[in-house]
Structures are given as C-alpha cells and as structure tokens.
Amino acid sequence: MSPNASTTPANTTPVRAMLVLGTRPEAIKLAPVARAMAASPHFQPLVVTTGQHREMLQQMLELLQVEAKFELDVMRERQELAKLTARLVEGLGEVVHAERPDLVIVQGDTTSALTGALAAFYEHIPVAHVEAGLRTGVLDNPFPEELNRRLIGRIARWHFAPTPRAAGHLTAEGVPAAEVFVTGNTVIDNLLWVLGQGAGRDHFRTDLRRVLVTLHRRENQGDKMRAMGKALRRLADRGDVEIVLPLHKSPAVREALLPELSDHPGIRIVEPLGYLDFSATLAGCDLVLTDSGGIQEEAPTLGKPALVLRTTTERPEAVEAGAAQLVGTEPQVILDAAMRLLDDEEAYRSMAKAGNPFGDGHATDRILAQLAEDFGVDAAAAPAPRPLAVPRPKGPGAYSTA
C-alpha cells in the first residue's frame, strides 16, 4: 500500500483521521496520537467521543489537550451490551458517513472500539488499531473484550502492536506481516508526558506502606469482588498499610465493595481520580493491586510491582519480565502475595527493577511515521523513530492462573 517515494508525488493534503474513544483508557492511550496529529501539518484529527464513560471523559480530555469534534450520547443506566452496541454502530455510522475520513483509528478492545471499526468497515474506510494483538486465549475472559479485539483484528488495515508477542498473535491468526507494526504502547507516551507536566495530586496521606487498588472488571463483579474486598480489609488490618481505592462508578462495583471497605481506617475510598491525580498517586504508591489492563503497562515504567487480580491476562509480557504477578481472584492467594511483597525486600526489589516490556515513550512517533508513509505524506524532514527495545523475559509467562 505504501507508495514508492521516488516515483509518487508527496501528498500535501492533510490526512483526515477520525479517532474514536469512549472510555477513560481509550482517551489516555489515544491522547498522544491526537496531540501529535493536531501539531502536525500532515494530519487532521477528528476526535469522536461515544459517551461510554461520559462523566470520566469531559474534564480529562481538556487536561490532556485533546479537542473532541463530535460527541455522542448513547449511554443509559445499566444498559445491556446488545443495546449499547446497536446505539454505537448507528451513531458512529452516521458520523463516519457524513465526514468520510481517510481512516478511522480505534484503540484496544472496548465496545466503542469494536463499533468504531464496524462503522468504518460499513463505509469502506480503512481502520488503524492501536494496541492490537492482545489475547488471553479465552474467548469470554475478559468479557466482552477478548471477542472485541479479535473481531477488530479481522477488520483493521493497520495493526499497531505494543509488543513482539502481540504482533505474533496477529500473524498467527493470518494477518499479513506487512500490516503489523511493533510500536510500543502509547500509554507510556502519555504517562511520561503527564508526569513531565508536574501536575496532579498524590492521594496518599501517610508514610505507611502505600497500596493502590483498582477493581472494576465485569467478570469479577458480584461474589468474587465481595471476597476480594474482604481480602483487602484483612490487608489493611496489618496497621502499617494505607490503601487508596478509587471507586469505579459502576453500581455493581459499589454494591460489592462499599459494605466491606467503607468503615476501615486504613482504607481510603475516593471517587474516580482524574488522570493527572491518578498518575501522581500511582507514582507515589509502593504496590499496585488491580484488575485493570492499562495499569499493568504503566506500573513497570515507575518501578511499581503489580499484582493482577484476574484469572487471565492479555499482557503476559509484564508477568514474564517479572514486573507483575497474575494472582487470580482467590482472597487468600491475593492476601499472601501482597503480604510477601510488603515483607520480603528482595522479592519486592526484583519486581520493582524488572523494567517495562511495553515501550519507551515513542509509540506515537512510530504510528504517525507509518501512516505518513502509507498515505504518501512528505514527512522526510521528521526524524525517523528509533527502534523499539524491550526487556527480555526472565522466565515462562502465562495467560491464565488455571
């Protein structure tokens, strides 16, 4: 698809790129791409927000210096996935049809990402997938993200994989190698940008051992999450630990965790933190317990050991590098793993110094360079992005605790 620069005139018309985002993680990971495109004469970013995490997005986009051109309003309380998907396909389809961008960029594995790719496909617009190739190998875990990213992998023209392993998943599934590009993860680009701004407030208040916890996964909700809440309470009973838990807006998450944790003096439950405050709090913690995906990528950059409270992970690179541990959802296992890291200095130091297998802060440069080449943009004056170097795995990793 790339034109031959020696025979093809350079394209001087800016490439109109529609970036679809609806959740906080999508905003975080597409923000550096949107900022770089807005600053370049070769690209015109058209940011569309779907409203999937509407309350979390509005202020954050302003802080991240990203301007949304289109805003959809599709969310309904406790909305079923089928209805959300239908609303998003219809709404995004109308925007894509009216704007006719040169490409649509989606990120990750949310319903917004899947429906953005579908809307583009229906209008014969090529799709670029940022953070492509993540897999657990279990179709319904995480649900529905594993299916979403596999489906996007069948639609996309550009697959921007964060790691060689992710790229290998794609080629093993039949994606042409010429369409797969290892870039690192844009979440690292944005984290380093934010910390460089010097903004954000650390929400820890003491000099005790600082533990940052995030829980929200659909497959963990209900009895599993209530049991994990009990484990967190027992961890706080040590007396030398301060736990900060930014509580997800999901009613199911709040119903599971608040009865277990709200009255413990060692546990601070706060409303969802803005990205700047969350980054500062992550930088200030000693240990992370999470069922999130993105934090598994951010924590190693800052030398923060991460315990992953899931039975599967699509980011085994962090486990293999020794920066994260997949501990599952059993309360006693979670408690034992956290206690070990808090009490065993050697074990803690080993994880903290493992390094980050997910990138070096230059993923955005690589993405824009590839798109510029494929659209025939004259970007010869821009420096070529340096090759990606990632830490070598220390041992065998695993997708699952099973």
Side-chain angles (χ1 to χ4, degrees):
M1 183 172 178
S2 302
N4 187 323
S6 63
T7 60
T8 304
N11 177 19
T12 59
T13 303
V15 177
R16 299 176 72 248
M18 181 171 289
L19 295 88
V20 177
L21 56 92
T23 67
R24 168 178 161 145
E26 286 171 311
I28 291 169
K29 294 181 179 184
L30 286 181
V33 179
R35 285 195 302 266
M37 285 185 165
S40 169
H42 305 302
F43 293 93
Q44 180 185 352
L46 307 172
V47 176
V48 181
T49 64
T50 67
Q52 193 174 338
H53 284 181
R54 187 182 185 89
E55 293 181 22
M56 295 183 181
L57 279 181
Q58 293 173 337
Q59 184 180 17
M60 188 173 67
L61 287 177
E62 182 178 344
L63 294 172
L64 294 177
Q65 299 179 17
V66 173
E67 181 181 357
K69 186 174 179 61
F70 305 97
E71 296 183 8
L72 305 182
D73 182 15
V74 300
M75 288 305 295
R76 305 293 182 269
E77 187 174 354
R78 296 182 184 266
Q79 184 166 225
E80 296 174 359
L81 274 175
K83 293 180 180 178
L84 172 61
T85 301
R87 289 178 184 274
L88 284 173
V89 171
E90 180 180 11
L92 289 168
E94 291 174 355
V95 177
V96 173
H97 180 79
E99 291 296 319
R100 305 300 303 174
D102 296 306
L103 78 156
V104 169
I105 301 177
V106 300
Q107 188 282 327
D109 49 27
T110 67
T111 304
S112 292
L114 172 61
T115 53
L118 279 171
F121 176 77
Y122 293 155
E123 294 292 331
H124 304 284
I125 304 294
V127 173
H129 188 197
V130 175
E131 197 183 65
L134 275 61
R135 300 289 186 270
T136 64
V138 182
L139 190 60
D140 61 352
N141 193 336
F143 178 87
E145 289 85 357
E146 177 75 5
L147 177 62
N148 289 349
R149 54 191 170 224
R150 292 196 201 185
L151 293 175
I152 297 169
R154 308 313 303 171
I155 296 172
R157 157 61 183 86
W158 295 272
H159 305 258
F160 294 120
T163 65
R165 177 189 290 274
H169 293 156
L170 292 161
T171 54
E173 293 171 3
V175 176
E179 298 180 0
V180 179
F181 312 93
V182 180
T183 61
N185 201 306
T186 56
V187 73
I188 308 304
D189 302 23
N190 210 46
L191 178 63
L192 296 177
W193 179 85
V194 164
L195 293 177
Q197 303 293 305
R201 180 170 65 90
D202 182 348
H203 279 252
F204 287 100
R205 291 181 175 174
T206 73
D207 292 327
L208 300 176
R209 308 300 298 278
R210 298 171 157 203
V211 179
L212 177 62
V213 178
T214 71
L215 288 168
H216 77 280
R217 284 281 174 193
R218 191 183 299 263
E219 65 269 20
N220 280 346
Q221 293 172 11
D223 290 342
K224 284 185 181 179
M225 193 166 289
R226 278 187 283 274
M228 286 190 278
K230 293 180 186 297
L232 294 175
R233 189 177 186 92
R234 291 174 61 193
L235 182 62
D237 285 341
R238 285 172 54 112
D240 66 344
V241 168
E242 179 187 5
I243 295 175
V244 169
L245 172 61
L247 193 61
H248 198 276
K249 290 288 189 181
S250 165
V253 171
R254 295 184 171 226
E255 289 167 5
L257 293 178
L258 282 175
E260 300 294 339
L261 305 177
S262 59
D263 63 345
H264 197 294
I267 301 174
R268 289 197 63 231
I269 296 177
V270 299
E271 288 300 310
L273 300 179
Y275 182 55
L276 301 186
D277 282 0
F278 185 84
S279 297
T281 303
L282 177 62
C285 80
D286 296 305
L287 175 64
V288 179
L289 277 65
T290 183
D291 65 2
S292 170
I295 299 175
Q296 297 176 53
E297 301 154 348
E298 295 169 311
T301 292
L302 304 177
K304 310 300 180 181
L307 298 180
V308 182
L309 312 187
R310 295 167 55 181
T311 57
T312 63
T313 180
E314 58 286 289
R315 294 169 175 86
E317 295 92 340
V319 177
E320 292 176 353
Q325 181 182 349
L326 185 66
V327 298
T329 60
E330 290 297 323
Q332 190 61 50
V333 176
I334 294 170
L335 184 63
D336 289 346
M339 292 282 202
R340 176 172 177 264
L341 288 174
L342 292 173
D343 294 334
D344 186 333
E345 292 185 8
E346 183 176 349
Y348 182 93
R349 190 180 305 112
S350 176
M351 290 187 71
K353 294 184 176 181
N356 194 339
F358 295 109
D360 57 4
H362 294 279
T364 298
D365 298 338
R366 299 183 181 97
I367 290 169
L368 264 62
Q370 188 61 52
L371 292 176
E373 176 183 339
D374 285 352
F375 279 97
V377 169
D378 183 10
R386 57 189 176 187
L388 176 65
V390 296
R392 289 183 175 275
K394 292 183 177 180
Y399 293 105
S400 171
T401 59

